[in-house]
Structure formats: structure tokens, C-alpha cells
Amino acid sequence: MEILLQLVISGIALGMIYAVVAFGYQLTFATSGTLNFGQGEALMLGAMVGLSLVGNVHGGPYMNYWLMIPVVLVFGALQGMLVEWIGVRPAIKIKSEFGWIMSTIALAIIFKNVAENIWGKDDLPFPSPLSAAPFQVFGANVQPMQVVVVIGALAIMAAVEIFNRKSIYGKAVVATSNDRDAAGLMGINTRMVITFSYGLSSAAAAFAGVMIAPLVPTGVTIGSALGLKAFAVAIIGGLTSGVGAIVGGLILGIAEKLTGFYISTGYQEVPGLLLLLLVLAFKPAGLFGKAAIKKV
């Protein structure tokens, strides 16, 4: 039972990272019907920029971990807005169904190549702001940073939800996600809302990067797998449901840890992919998603 609890705790921490990145997918899909397939690279860039600020890289450290987080959030937002401006806006303008897919993938490859030239291809240690000494919960060892990851992930998703429900700008985002054409007719600058959603999406991914970086080897390859798995989480949970992102992330994170320990690390990604196939086959809108009805 102690080993099982240990695996579940590790799976929860990993699953919440998936959930934050998947939440970013939902933000852009809601406002524009598009997805940033470079979300994983936004996570990677957040982690690497954070490393440059708090680690022994490029003459650092320049600040402590907690002061670094707002800087990375701003960087992530600017990177996301750049992706929207270069890769997504032209495709939306000409009503291209697939142009934004290839554009965001191309930008992801460019960002990764640039990162390789700046930080190299080797994994680097990311200094943890907390003690590495674990504490025990019912006999299982829990790292303090794992608790911070869970709390931080829930906090940023809750902050976005509160922003959307309580602020006038958030209500503009909600209106655009409900009906972009109607929102435009009511005077809402939907193009700016889409740009904002991309910035918020990449900021969330960058935040996830600096959360997970102290727990895993940090390098320019960290984002590819995490971004792809987070996309699977978004599909499993439903691209229209924040709760679905959390539940899907927890399911995938825990399933990976249990499979890796009890069966083989070579099969740890299989349960999540099988679940993805089952969801697509029987509930394409996701476990918590709502099927879109198109009137023609």
C-alpha cells in the first residue's frame, strides 16, 4: 500500500502538469477553434528561461525561484502572442482549415532549434526552491515540490476561471468562446481576444515548465512528450471542459506511474493512449465535453 500511495502521489503531480498544459489547449480552442501544437515548446522555453534566471547558466543565478515565476509568465505570454500573430492570425484571416496546424508545428520546431543553440542538447539540473528531503504521508515519501506543483496548477487554473467570470475582459473572452460572430457584432474586438487567449495559454504552459523542472531533468526535449500527452489529456477530458482537463490529467498521470512500476516502463504510455482511442471511438467530445451541434 505504501508503494501504491507513492505512485499515486507521483502520478497526481505529473497529471496536474498535463492538466495545466491541456487547459491552455482549451483556452485557444474556445476562442478561435484552433490549437497551438507548440504548447510543449512553450513549456520547454518557460523551463529553460527559468533555468537561466535561477541556475548556474549564462552567468546566473540572477534571482530566486519565486521572483522568477512572474518573469517567466510574461515571457510565456509574449511567446504565445507571437505564435498567434505569425502562425494563426493569417490562417484565420483567409479561413484556412489547416494552415494554423502546420504554422504552429513549424514554429514549435523553430523554437526548439533556437533553444538547442542557446542551451545545448544536454539535460541540466534545475535548482529546487524547497528542500529535496521528502516527508511521509501514510508511509509514502512525498517531496515538498510535488505539493507545490499540485497547488500551483490548481491555483493558476482557478485564477483564469475567476478572471473569466468576474472581470469585464474575462467576460469578453467567454462571449467570444460562446459565439465569436455575435461577440464581434456587439463591439468586442475578437481578434484581440484570440491573441490574449494564446498569450494566456502559453503563459500557463511556461508556468507548468518551471513547476515540473525541479522534479525532472531539464532540457530542450522536455516539452515534446509533455505537450503531446497534454493534448491527449485535452481530448480525453474534453476540449470544452476545465474539469475534464484535471480529471484527464490525473487519469493519465496515475496510469503512467502504475503501469511503469507494475508492468514495465516501456509500456507506461500505453494505458493513456488506449483510453484516448476508446474516448474517440465512443465519446468523441471527451468525458466531460459537449458535442457541438452545427446548423446548416
PDB file of all heavy atoms in Angstrom, residues 84-116:
ATOM      1  N   GLU A  84       0.463  33.436 -32.217  1.00  0.00           N
ATOM      2  CA  GLU A  84      -0.836  33.803 -32.791  1.00  0.00           C
ATOM      3  C   GLU A  84      -0.678  34.795 -33.935  1.00  0.00           C
ATOM      4  O   GLU A  84      -1.333  34.673 -34.972  1.00  0.00           O
ATOM      5  CB  GLU A  84      -1.727  34.396 -31.689  1.00  0.00           C
ATOM      6  CG  GLU A  84      -3.182  34.593 -32.097  1.00  0.00           C
ATOM      7  CD  GLU A  84      -3.434  35.886 -32.853  1.00  0.00           C
ATOM      8  OE1 GLU A  84      -2.642  36.846 -32.688  1.00  0.00           O
ATOM      9  OE2 GLU A  84      -4.414  35.947 -33.622  1.00  0.00           O
ATOM     10  N   TRP A  85       0.201  35.754 -33.739  1.00  0.00           N
ATOM     11  CA  TRP A  85       0.391  36.804 -34.740  1.00  0.00           C
ATOM     12  C   TRP A  85       0.985  36.255 -36.036  1.00  0.00           C
ATOM     13  O   TRP A  85       0.537  36.586 -37.126  1.00  0.00           O
ATOM     14  CB  TRP A  85       1.279  37.896 -34.150  1.00  0.00           C
ATOM     15  CG  TRP A  85       1.542  39.043 -35.082  1.00  0.00           C
ATOM     16  CD1 TRP A  85       0.606  39.784 -35.758  1.00  0.00           C
ATOM     17  CD2 TRP A  85       2.822  39.558 -35.465  1.00  0.00           C
ATOM     18  NE1 TRP A  85       1.227  40.746 -36.516  1.00  0.00           N
ATOM     19  CE2 TRP A  85       2.587  40.631 -36.364  1.00  0.00           C
ATOM     20  CE3 TRP A  85       4.138  39.243 -35.120  1.00  0.00           C
ATOM     21  CZ2 TRP A  85       3.620  41.364 -36.927  1.00  0.00           C
ATOM     22  CZ3 TRP A  85       5.170  39.988 -35.685  1.00  0.00           C
ATOM     23  CH2 TRP A  85       4.912  41.027 -36.574  1.00  0.00           C
ATOM     24  N   ILE A  86       1.986  35.366 -35.899  1.00  0.00           N
ATOM     25  CA  ILE A  86       2.679  34.853 -37.082  1.00  0.00           C
ATOM     26  C   ILE A  86       1.988  33.635 -37.679  1.00  0.00           C
ATOM     27  O   ILE A  86       1.820  33.531 -38.899  1.00  0.00           O
ATOM     28  CB  ILE A  86       4.144  34.491 -36.731  1.00  0.00           C
ATOM     29  CG1 ILE A  86       4.927  35.742 -36.325  1.00  0.00           C
ATOM     30  CG2 ILE A  86       4.834  33.818 -37.919  1.00  0.00           C
ATOM     31  CD1 ILE A  86       6.350  35.449 -35.877  1.00  0.00           C
ATOM     32  N   GLY A  87       1.574  32.717 -36.822  1.00  0.00           N
ATOM     33  CA  GLY A  87       1.121  31.429 -37.322  1.00  0.00           C
ATOM     34  C   GLY A  87      -0.375  31.228 -37.436  1.00  0.00           C
ATOM     35  O   GLY A  87      -0.836  30.439 -38.263  1.00  0.00           O
ATOM     36  N   VAL A  88      -1.150  31.913 -36.577  1.00  0.00           N
ATOM     37  CA  VAL A  88      -2.586  31.623 -36.524  1.00  0.00           C
ATOM     38  C   VAL A  88      -3.423  32.705 -37.198  1.00  0.00           C
ATOM     39  O   VAL A  88      -4.348  32.394 -37.953  1.00  0.00           O
ATOM     40  CB  VAL A  88      -3.027  31.438 -35.052  1.00  0.00           C
ATOM     41  CG1 VAL A  88      -4.527  31.175 -34.971  1.00  0.00           C
ATOM     42  CG2 VAL A  88      -2.249  30.297 -34.406  1.00  0.00           C
ATOM     43  N   ARG A  89      -3.109  33.959 -36.935  1.00  0.00           N
ATOM     44  CA  ARG A  89      -3.929  35.048 -37.482  1.00  0.00           C
ATOM     45  C   ARG A  89      -4.045  35.024 -39.002  1.00  0.00           C
ATOM     46  O   ARG A  89      -5.162  35.175 -39.532  1.00  0.00           O
ATOM     47  CB  ARG A  89      -3.396  36.400 -36.999  1.00  0.00           C
ATOM     48  CG  ARG A  89      -4.285  37.577 -37.401  1.00  0.00           C
ATOM     49  CD  ARG A  89      -3.738  38.883 -36.895  1.00  0.00           C
ATOM     50  NE  ARG A  89      -3.632  38.917 -35.447  1.00  0.00           N
ATOM     51  CZ  ARG A  89      -3.232  39.986 -34.766  1.00  0.00           C
ATOM     52  NH1 ARG A  89      -2.889  41.097 -35.421  1.00  0.00           N
ATOM     53  NH2 ARG A  89      -3.166  39.948 -33.452  1.00  0.00           N
ATOM     54  N   PRO A  90      -2.933  34.819 -39.735  1.00  0.00           N
ATOM     55  CA  PRO A  90      -3.077  34.765 -41.201  1.00  0.00           C
ATOM     56  C   PRO A  90      -3.985  33.633 -41.668  1.00  0.00           C
ATOM     57  O   PRO A  90      -4.750  33.794 -42.631  1.00  0.00           O
ATOM     58  CB  PRO A  90      -1.630  34.549 -41.683  1.00  0.00           C
ATOM     59  CG  PRO A  90      -0.778  35.088 -40.580  1.00  0.00           C
ATOM     60  CD  PRO A  90      -1.514  34.763 -39.333  1.00  0.00           C
ATOM     61  N   ALA A  91      -3.918  32.473 -40.979  1.00  0.00           N
ATOM     62  CA  ALA A  91      -4.764  31.341 -41.358  1.00  0.00           C
ATOM     63  C   ALA A  91      -6.232  31.638 -41.095  1.00  0.00           C
ATOM     64  O   ALA A  91      -7.107  31.284 -41.898  1.00  0.00           O
ATOM     65  CB  ALA A  91      -4.323  30.091 -40.603  1.00  0.00           C
ATOM     66  N   ILE A  92      -6.526  32.296 -39.965  1.00  0.00           N
ATOM     67  CA  ILE A  92      -7.909  32.661 -39.660  1.00  0.00           C
ATOM     68  C   ILE A  92      -8.425  33.688 -40.664  1.00  0.00           C
ATOM     69  O   ILE A  92      -9.571  33.628 -41.117  1.00  0.00           O
ATOM     70  CB  ILE A  92      -8.016  33.205 -38.223  1.00  0.00           C
ATOM     71  CG1 ILE A  92      -7.728  32.088 -37.206  1.00  0.00           C
ATOM     72  CG2 ILE A  92      -9.390  33.798 -37.973  1.00  0.00           C
ATOM     73  CD1 ILE A  92      -7.748  32.548 -35.770  1.00  0.00           C
ATOM     74  N   LYS A  93      -7.552  34.621 -41.040  1.00  0.00           N
ATOM     75  CA  LYS A  93      -7.953  35.697 -41.954  1.00  0.00           C
ATOM     76  C   LYS A  93      -8.387  35.150 -43.308  1.00  0.00           C
ATOM     77  O   LYS A  93      -9.357  35.633 -43.907  1.00  0.00           O
ATOM     78  CB  LYS A  93      -6.793  36.672 -42.119  1.00  0.00           C
ATOM     79  CG  LYS A  93      -7.140  37.920 -42.911  1.00  0.00           C
ATOM     80  CD  LYS A  93      -5.975  38.893 -42.932  1.00  0.00           C
ATOM     81  CE  LYS A  93      -6.338  40.157 -43.715  1.00  0.00           C
ATOM     82  NZ  LYS A  93      -5.212  41.129 -43.731  1.00  0.00           N
ATOM     83  N   ILE A  94      -7.673  34.130 -43.792  1.00  0.00           N
ATOM     84  CA  ILE A  94      -8.028  33.564 -45.106  1.00  0.00           C
ATOM     85  C   ILE A  94      -8.926  32.343 -44.965  1.00  0.00           C
ATOM     86  O   ILE A  94      -9.182  31.637 -45.942  1.00  0.00           O
ATOM     87  CB  ILE A  94      -6.758  33.191 -45.904  1.00  0.00           C
ATOM     88  CG1 ILE A  94      -5.961  32.085 -45.188  1.00  0.00           C
ATOM     89  CG2 ILE A  94      -5.888  34.414 -46.144  1.00  0.00           C
ATOM     90  CD1 ILE A  94      -4.781  31.571 -45.989  1.00  0.00           C
ATOM     91  N   LYS A  95      -9.378  32.089 -43.717  1.00  0.00           N
ATOM     92  CA  LYS A  95     -10.273  30.963 -43.421  1.00  0.00           C
ATOM     93  C   LYS A  95      -9.667  29.625 -43.841  1.00  0.00           C
ATOM     94  O   LYS A  95     -10.343  28.758 -44.403  1.00  0.00           O
ATOM     95  CB  LYS A  95     -11.633  31.154 -44.090  1.00  0.00           C
ATOM     96  CG  LYS A  95     -12.370  32.400 -43.648  1.00  0.00           C
ATOM     97  CD  LYS A  95     -13.737  32.482 -44.286  1.00  0.00           C
ATOM     98  CE  LYS A  95     -14.431  33.782 -43.986  1.00  0.00           C
ATOM     99  NZ  LYS A  95     -14.698  34.096 -42.675  1.00  0.00           N
ATOM    100  N   SER A  96      -8.382  29.465 -43.586  1.00  0.00           N
ATOM    101  CA  SER A  96      -7.700  28.210 -43.898  1.00  0.00           C
ATOM    102  C   SER A  96      -7.986  27.187 -42.810  1.00  0.00           C
ATOM    103  O   SER A  96      -7.791  27.453 -41.628  1.00  0.00           O
ATOM    104  CB  SER A  96      -6.188  28.441 -44.012  1.00  0.00           C
ATOM    105  OG  SER A  96      -5.504  27.205 -44.127  1.00  0.00           O
ATOM    106  N   GLU A  97      -8.453  26.026 -43.196  1.00  0.00           N
ATOM    107  CA  GLU A  97      -8.807  24.994 -42.231  1.00  0.00           C
ATOM    108  C   GLU A  97      -7.582  24.373 -41.561  1.00  0.00           C
ATOM    109  O   GLU A  97      -7.637  23.959 -40.411  1.00  0.00           O
ATOM    110  CB  GLU A  97      -9.618  23.891 -42.931  1.00  0.00           C
ATOM    111  CG  GLU A  97     -11.010  24.312 -43.361  1.00  0.00           C
ATOM    112  CD  GLU A  97     -11.949  24.453 -42.179  1.00  0.00           C
ATOM    113  OE1 GLU A  97     -11.693  23.835 -41.141  1.00  0.00           O
ATOM    114  OE2 GLU A  97     -12.941  25.198 -42.299  1.00  0.00           O
ATOM    115  N   PHE A  98      -6.472  24.290 -42.300  1.00  0.00           N
ATOM    116  CA  PHE A  98      -5.320  23.558 -41.782  1.00  0.00           C
ATOM    117  C   PHE A  98      -4.036  24.398 -41.727  1.00  0.00           C
ATOM    118  O   PHE A  98      -3.017  23.905 -41.273  1.00  0.00           O
ATOM    119  CB  PHE A  98      -5.067  22.312 -42.649  1.00  0.00           C
ATOM    120  CG  PHE A  98      -6.255  21.408 -42.763  1.00  0.00           C
ATOM    121  CD1 PHE A  98      -6.993  21.339 -43.934  1.00  0.00           C
ATOM    122  CD2 PHE A  98      -6.649  20.641 -41.681  1.00  0.00           C
ATOM    123  CE1 PHE A  98      -8.103  20.510 -44.037  1.00  0.00           C
ATOM    124  CE2 PHE A  98      -7.756  19.807 -41.775  1.00  0.00           C
ATOM    125  CZ  PHE A  98      -8.486  19.739 -42.952  1.00  0.00           C
ATOM    126  N   GLY A  99      -4.102  25.633 -42.195  1.00  0.00           N
ATOM    127  CA  GLY A  99      -2.898  26.458 -42.203  1.00  0.00           C
ATOM    128  C   GLY A  99      -2.316  26.663 -40.827  1.00  0.00           C
ATOM    129  O   GLY A  99      -1.090  26.604 -40.631  1.00  0.00           O
ATOM    130  N   TRP A 100      -3.186  26.867 -39.825  1.00  0.00           N
ATOM    131  CA  TRP A 100      -2.701  27.099 -38.463  1.00  0.00           C
ATOM    132  C   TRP A 100      -2.043  25.855 -37.867  1.00  0.00           C
ATOM    133  O   TRP A 100      -1.165  25.972 -37.009  1.00  0.00           O
ATOM    134  CB  TRP A 100      -3.837  27.578 -37.563  1.00  0.00           C
ATOM    135  CG  TRP A 100      -5.040  26.687 -37.537  1.00  0.00           C
ATOM    136  CD1 TRP A 100      -6.140  26.749 -38.340  1.00  0.00           C
ATOM    137  CD2 TRP A 100      -5.266  25.576 -36.654  1.00  0.00           C
ATOM    138  NE1 TRP A 100      -7.036  25.758 -38.028  1.00  0.00           N
ATOM    139  CE2 TRP A 100      -6.535  25.031 -37.000  1.00  0.00           C
ATOM    140  CE3 TRP A 100      -4.542  25.008 -35.619  1.00  0.00           C
ATOM    141  CZ2 TRP A 100      -7.072  23.941 -36.334  1.00  0.00           C
ATOM    142  CZ3 TRP A 100      -5.074  23.920 -34.951  1.00  0.00           C
ATOM    143  CH2 TRP A 100      -6.327  23.385 -35.315  1.00  0.00           C
ATOM    144  N   ILE A 101      -2.455  24.673 -38.314  1.00  0.00           N
ATOM    145  CA  ILE A 101      -1.836  23.446 -37.806  1.00  0.00           C
ATOM    146  C   ILE A 101      -0.361  23.399 -38.196  1.00  0.00           C
ATOM    147  O   ILE A 101       0.528  23.237 -37.356  1.00  0.00           O
ATOM    148  CB  ILE A 101      -2.563  22.195 -38.337  1.00  0.00           C
ATOM    149  CG1 ILE A 101      -4.006  22.173 -37.839  1.00  0.00           C
ATOM    150  CG2 ILE A 101      -1.823  20.927 -37.910  1.00  0.00           C
ATOM    151  CD1 ILE A 101      -4.817  21.008 -38.374  1.00  0.00           C
ATOM    152  N   MET A 102      -0.096  23.548 -39.482  1.00  0.00           N
ATOM    153  CA  MET A 102       1.278  23.483 -39.964  1.00  0.00           C
ATOM    154  C   MET A 102       2.099  24.668 -39.460  1.00  0.00           C
ATOM    155  O   MET A 102       3.293  24.536 -39.183  1.00  0.00           O
ATOM    156  CB  MET A 102       1.297  23.432 -41.497  1.00  0.00           C
ATOM    157  CG  MET A 102       0.662  22.184 -42.081  1.00  0.00           C
ATOM    158  SD  MET A 102       1.281  20.649 -41.337  1.00  0.00           S
ATOM    159  CE  MET A 102       3.034  20.769 -41.686  1.00  0.00           C
ATOM    160  N   SER A 103       1.472  25.831 -39.330  1.00  0.00           N
ATOM    161  CA  SER A 103       2.192  27.014 -38.864  1.00  0.00           C
ATOM    162  C   SER A 103       2.656  26.850 -37.417  1.00  0.00           C
ATOM    163  O   SER A 103       3.805  27.165 -37.085  1.00  0.00           O
ATOM    164  CB  SER A 103       1.309  28.260 -38.994  1.00  0.00           C
ATOM    165  OG  SER A 103       1.016  28.535 -40.344  1.00  0.00           O
ATOM    166  N   THR A 104       1.778  26.356 -36.545  1.00  0.00           N
ATOM    167  CA  THR A 104       2.171  26.199 -35.144  1.00  0.00           C
ATOM    168  C   THR A 104       3.199  25.080 -34.975  1.00  0.00           C
ATOM    169  O   THR A 104       4.096  25.177 -34.138  1.00  0.00           O
ATOM    170  CB  THR A 104       0.941  25.921 -34.263  1.00  0.00           C
ATOM    171  OG1 THR A 104       0.209  24.785 -34.772  1.00  0.00           O
ATOM    172  CG2 THR A 104       0.020  27.127 -34.229  1.00  0.00           C
ATOM    173  N   ILE A 105       3.077  24.026 -35.789  1.00  0.00           N
ATOM    174  CA  ILE A 105       4.085  22.954 -35.740  1.00  0.00           C
ATOM    175  C   ILE A 105       5.440  23.487 -36.219  1.00  0.00           C
ATOM    176  O   ILE A 105       6.484  23.205 -35.616  1.00  0.00           O
ATOM    177  CB  ILE A 105       3.640  21.753 -36.596  1.00  0.00           C
ATOM    178  CG1 ILE A 105       2.436  21.061 -35.957  1.00  0.00           C
ATOM    179  CG2 ILE A 105       4.790  20.748 -36.750  1.00  0.00           C
ATOM    180  CD1 ILE A 105       1.841  19.948 -36.804  1.00  0.00           C
ATOM    181  N   ALA A 106       5.431  24.264 -37.301  1.00  0.00           N
ATOM    182  CA  ALA A 106       6.682  24.836 -37.823  1.00  0.00           C
ATOM    183  C   ALA A 106       7.333  25.750 -36.802  1.00  0.00           C
ATOM    184  O   ALA A 106       8.560  25.712 -36.591  1.00  0.00           O
ATOM    185  CB  ALA A 106       6.407  25.594 -39.117  1.00  0.00           C
ATOM    186  N   LEU A 107       6.530  26.590 -36.133  1.00  0.00           N
ATOM    187  CA  LEU A 107       7.080  27.495 -35.122  1.00  0.00           C
ATOM    188  C   LEU A 107       7.643  26.703 -33.937  1.00  0.00           C
ATOM    189  O   LEU A 107       8.663  27.084 -33.362  1.00  0.00           O
ATOM    190  CB  LEU A 107       6.002  28.467 -34.647  1.00  0.00           C
ATOM    191  CG  LEU A 107       5.651  29.587 -35.631  1.00  0.00           C
ATOM    192  CD1 LEU A 107       4.394  30.323 -35.180  1.00  0.00           C
ATOM    193  CD2 LEU A 107       6.825  30.564 -35.766  1.00  0.00           C
ATOM    194  N   ALA A 108       6.988  25.592 -33.584  1.00  0.00           N
ATOM    195  CA  ALA A 108       7.495  24.757 -32.494  1.00  0.00           C
ATOM    196  C   ALA A 108       8.883  24.209 -32.829  1.00  0.00           C
ATOM    197  O   ALA A 108       9.783  24.195 -31.983  1.00  0.00           O
ATOM    198  CB  ALA A 108       6.521  23.609 -32.221  1.00  0.00           C
ATOM    199  N   ILE A 109       9.062  23.769 -34.065  1.00  0.00           N
ATOM    200  CA  ILE A 109      10.367  23.247 -34.491  1.00  0.00           C
ATOM    201  C   ILE A 109      11.413  24.354 -34.464  1.00  0.00           C
ATOM    202  O   ILE A 109      12.560  24.144 -34.019  1.00  0.00           O
ATOM    203  CB  ILE A 109      10.261  22.636 -35.902  1.00  0.00           C
ATOM    204  CG1 ILE A 109       9.349  21.405 -35.875  1.00  0.00           C
ATOM    205  CG2 ILE A 109      11.646  22.247 -36.436  1.00  0.00           C
ATOM    206  CD1 ILE A 109       9.008  20.854 -37.249  1.00  0.00           C
ATOM    207  N   ILE A 110      11.022  25.552 -34.903  1.00  0.00           N
ATOM    208  CA  ILE A 110      11.962  26.680 -34.888  1.00  0.00           C
ATOM    209  C   ILE A 110      12.363  27.019 -33.459  1.00  0.00           C
ATOM    210  O   ILE A 110      13.552  27.215 -33.150  1.00  0.00           O
ATOM    211  CB  ILE A 110      11.326  27.902 -35.583  1.00  0.00           C
ATOM    212  CG1 ILE A 110      11.177  27.636 -37.084  1.00  0.00           C
ATOM    213  CG2 ILE A 110      12.171  29.162 -35.342  1.00  0.00           C
ATOM    214  CD1 ILE A 110      10.371  28.691 -37.812  1.00  0.00           C
ATOM    215  N   PHE A 111      11.386  27.092 -32.556  1.00  0.00           N
ATOM    216  CA  PHE A 111      11.691  27.408 -31.151  1.00  0.00           C
ATOM    217  C   PHE A 111      12.627  26.365 -30.542  1.00  0.00           C
ATOM    218  O   PHE A 111      13.549  26.694 -29.785  1.00  0.00           O
ATOM    219  CB  PHE A 111      10.401  27.488 -30.337  1.00  0.00           C
ATOM    220  CG  PHE A 111       9.587  28.718 -30.590  1.00  0.00           C
ATOM    221  CD1 PHE A 111       8.210  28.636 -30.764  1.00  0.00           C
ATOM    222  CD2 PHE A 111      10.184  29.969 -30.657  1.00  0.00           C
ATOM    223  CE1 PHE A 111       7.456  29.771 -31.002  1.00  0.00           C
ATOM    224  CE2 PHE A 111       9.436  31.117 -30.891  1.00  0.00           C
ATOM    225  CZ  PHE A 111       8.067  31.017 -31.067  1.00  0.00           C
ATOM    226  N   LYS A 112      12.393  25.102 -30.882  1.00  0.00           N
ATOM    227  CA  LYS A 112      13.251  24.043 -30.333  1.00  0.00           C
ATOM    228  C   LYS A 112      14.675  24.166 -30.857  1.00  0.00           C
ATOM    229  O   LYS A 112      15.646  24.013 -30.099  1.00  0.00           O
ATOM    230  CB  LYS A 112      12.679  22.672 -30.686  1.00  0.00           C
ATOM    231  CG  LYS A 112      13.454  21.513 -30.061  1.00  0.00           C
ATOM    232  CD  LYS A 112      12.787  20.185 -30.356  1.00  0.00           C
ATOM    233  CE  LYS A 112      13.566  19.034 -29.731  1.00  0.00           C
ATOM    234  NZ  LYS A 112      12.942  17.716 -30.019  1.00  0.00           N
ATOM    235  N   ASN A 113      14.823  24.454 -32.145  1.00  0.00           N
ATOM    236  CA  ASN A 113      16.169  24.603 -32.712  1.00  0.00           C
ATOM    237  C   ASN A 113      16.899  25.807 -32.118  1.00  0.00           C
ATOM    238  O   ASN A 113      18.103  25.746 -31.849  1.00  0.00           O
ATOM    239  CB  ASN A 113      16.081  24.741 -34.236  1.00  0.00           C
ATOM    240  CG  ASN A 113      15.722  23.430 -34.917  1.00  0.00           C
ATOM    241  OD1 ASN A 113      15.897  22.363 -34.348  1.00  0.00           O
ATOM    242  ND2 ASN A 113      15.205  23.503 -36.125  1.00  0.00           N
ATOM    243  N   VAL A 114      16.178  26.901 -31.930  1.00  0.00           N
ATOM    244  CA  VAL A 114      16.785  28.083 -31.298  1.00  0.00           C
ATOM    245  C   VAL A 114      17.229  27.749 -29.874  1.00  0.00           C
ATOM    246  O   VAL A 114      18.331  28.117 -29.445  1.00  0.00           O
ATOM    247  CB  VAL A 114      15.794  29.261 -31.302  1.00  0.00           C
ATOM    248  CG1 VAL A 114      16.320  30.412 -30.444  1.00  0.00           C
ATOM    249  CG2 VAL A 114      15.534  29.744 -32.726  1.00  0.00           C
ATOM    250  N   ALA A 115      16.369  27.021 -29.141  1.00  0.00           N
ATOM    251  CA  ALA A 115      16.700  26.650 -27.768  1.00  0.00           C
ATOM    252  C   ALA A 115      17.935  25.751 -27.719  1.00  0.00           C
ATOM    253  O   ALA A 115      18.777  25.879 -26.818  1.00  0.00           O
ATOM    254  CB  ALA A 115      15.515  25.941 -27.118  1.00  0.00           C
ATOM    255  N   GLU A 116      18.068  24.839 -28.683  1.00  0.00           N
ATOM    256  CA  GLU A 116      19.239  23.965 -28.725  1.00  0.00           C
ATOM    257  C   GLU A 116      20.528  24.767 -28.900  1.00  0.00           C
ATOM    258  O   GLU A 116      21.568  24.426 -28.324  1.00  0.00           O
ATOM    259  CB  GLU A 116      19.099  22.949 -29.858  1.00  0.00           C
ATOM    260  CG  GLU A 116      18.084  21.851 -29.586  1.00  0.00           C
ATOM    261  CD  GLU A 116      17.935  20.902 -30.760  1.00  0.00           C
ATOM    262  OE1 GLU A 116      18.491  21.204 -31.845  1.00  0.00           O
ATOM    263  OE2 GLU A 116      17.271  19.855 -30.594  1.00  0.00           O
TER     264      GLU A 116
END
